[in-house]
Amino acid sequence: MKAAVVREVGDASALKVETDYPTPVAQPGQVIVKNEFAGINFIDTYHRKGLYPRDLPFIGGQEGGGTVVQTTPEAEAQGVKVGDRVAYTKLETYSEYAAVPAAKLLPVPEGVAMEVAVSCVVQGLTAHYLTTSAHAGLIQPGEWCLIHGVGGGTCQWAAQMAKLRGYKVIGTVSKGKANIAEGLGCDELIVLDEVSGQSFEDYESVDVVGKVMEITGGKGCKAVIDGIGKNTMDISINSLAHRGIFVSFGNASGAVPAFPVLRLIGKSAYVTRPKLLDYTTSRAELVERADEIFGWLLDGKLKVSVDTAFPLHDAAEGHKYLEAGKSKGKVLYKI
């Protein structure tokens, strides 16, 4: 089968398309999905570069969707049948076919396009747990939440979901993506200069902490959702309210460096570094999150922006596009 494979870690050119990669065989409890789309996420670039090590070689990706073409008796016992439209998250999705545990399948409702459904799987579920669970209830409806990079994929979702949860939202965004952010419902936007060739904004171009304190009447934010990383760590911590929580979930500008826990004493603040797998630990939790997302989509309460879909044979170009900060929504591979 055709697949985008990493045999040596490195830059985007390390992602090579092969046409004779072995087609997976379904094990008990699995199904074979013929992929229509695969999502491209920053974590895929971390795998490719070796920041998050994996055994070599490996097929890239961890988000896909398509049609079930083969089942196993155990999967059928869970109600899965050939022809089902499904989306899922598992490693190795940049491929024509994937062997997927039935427990990880999310049925795609009629009325939801496959490219939209695939966009939900990592970015949508990540935004969901960030805005509903990762903050541990330390923010309540009516309180302020700062979300960095709302012009990008995951945080476009997060800004909208935070509003659906009743939080007041401050979003940071680059000038080139401000028009997108304006449609997300944020209460306030802090517009920053762009950094050429990067996926994040220039956080030195505006006094973000000063703006946050001005907007919040000097109180700060009960939660800060930060996928930028190294360049925003200080801003995020300094923007917190008393007993607020810094939710650090990404490394777009580089990994957050170690810092002394004593830094948090000034406001008795909290910090967490969560990941999606720990917030979808059971099928019940996975389906509960997905059902709420699909429900919002069908009700028109959530807007999904699919930026572009690269053909799989241009796999390296998809990673370059994402890492250069060009995306204004979800980036996919069309298989």
Side-chain angles (χ1 to χ4, degrees):
M1 69 173 181
K2 183 184 293 185
V5 181
V6 175
R7 294 192 176 274
E8 294 183 4
V9 297
D11 63 18
S13 65
L15 193 60
K16 308 284 189 184
V17 177
E18 301 181 8
T19 59
D20 57 353
Y21 201 87
T23 302
V25 176
Q27 302 301 312
Q30 294 184 332
V31 303
I32 299 297
V33 177
K34 188 178 191 306
N35 289 323
E36 296 177 37
F37 293 92
I40 310 175
N41 297 286
F42 271 103
I43 193 170
D44 304 345
T45 71
Y46 305 156
H47 290 159
R48 188 207 72 225
K49 290 186 286 191
L51 179 63
Y52 294 175
R54 288 177 57 186
D55 293 337
L56 296 169
F58 64 84
I59 297 172
Q62 61 171 325
E63 181 179 53
T67 304
V68 175
V69 295
Q70 182 185 340
T71 63
T72 58
E74 296 86 355
E76 290 173 2
Q78 297 181 55
V80 183
K81 61 185 184 300
V82 170
D84 284 351
R85 297 171 71 240
V86 296
Y88 63 90
T89 177
K90 70 173 289 290
L91 295 175
E92 304 201 329
T93 60
Y94 294 176
S95 57
E96 288 184 275
Y97 297 93
V100 186
K104 287 185 171 289
L105 297 175
L106 298 174
V108 177
E110 290 298 324
V112 176
M114 185 57 70
E115 57 266 38
V116 172
V118 172
S119 301
C120 290
V121 180
V122 171
Q123 291 187 344
L125 289 171
T126 296
H128 191 277
Y129 88 74
L130 289 172
T131 54
T132 61
S133 305
H135 53 62
L138 293 167
I139 181 172
Q140 297 297 318
E143 295 181 322
W144 284 102
C145 177
L146 171 64
I147 304 177
H148 290 304
V150 296
T154 298
C155 286
Q156 282 188 33
W157 293 80
Q160 295 176 83
M161 292 182 189
K163 288 301 298 178
L164 287 167
R165 292 291 175 203
Y167 311 142
K168 294 190 287 187
V169 177
I170 303 170
T172 65
V173 66
S174 68
K175 290 177 179 177
K177 297 180 180 180
N179 61 325
I180 296 170
E182 288 168 359
L184 300 176
C186 294
D187 296 273
E188 299 283 348
L189 286 176
I190 299 174
V191 181
L192 308 168
D193 290 343
E194 297 178 281
V195 179
S196 179
Q198 297 292 340
S199 61
F200 50 90
E201 302 80 11
D202 180 359
Y203 283 88
E204 295 183 352
S205 64
V206 173
D207 178 6
V208 176
V209 176
K211 290 281 189 183
V212 166
M213 291 302 167
E214 178 184 340
I215 291 166
T216 62
K219 293 183 177 179
C221 295
K222 281 291 190 176
V224 178
I225 295 174
D226 185 346
I228 306 300
K230 180 180 177 182
N231 287 15
T232 47
M233 180 192 82
D234 290 333
I235 292 169
S236 294
I237 292 173
N238 292 336
S239 295
L240 288 172
H242 178 65
R243 291 186 353 201
I245 185 167
F246 168 32
V247 182
S248 174
F249 78 98
N251 314 289
S253 66
V256 172
F259 64 90
V261 71
L262 198 61
R263 278 203 62 181
L264 305 174
I265 196 172
K267 297 177 181 177
S268 294
Y270 299 80
V271 62
T272 183
R273 194 4 175 136
K275 64 181 187 294
L276 177 59
L277 286 175
D278 289 330
Y279 288 87
T280 51
T281 56
S282 66
R283 173 145 184 85
E285 186 175 30
L286 175 67
V287 171
E288 182 180 0
R289 293 191 190 282
D291 283 352
E292 185 162 40
I293 295 168
F294 285 140
W296 285 333
L297 286 167
L298 290 169
D299 291 343
K301 295 178 179 178
L302 196 59
K303 301 175 185 176
V304 179
S305 174
V306 177
D307 180 292
T308 190
F310 287 86
L312 185 60
H313 62 75
D314 285 338
E317 295 304 313
H319 274 214
K320 289 177 184 176
Y321 186 83
L322 188 70
E323 291 179 295
K326 295 179 180 179
S327 67
K328 295 184 177 181
K330 185 64 181 179
V331 184
L332 302 166
Y333 290 124
K334 184 171 177 57
I335 309 299

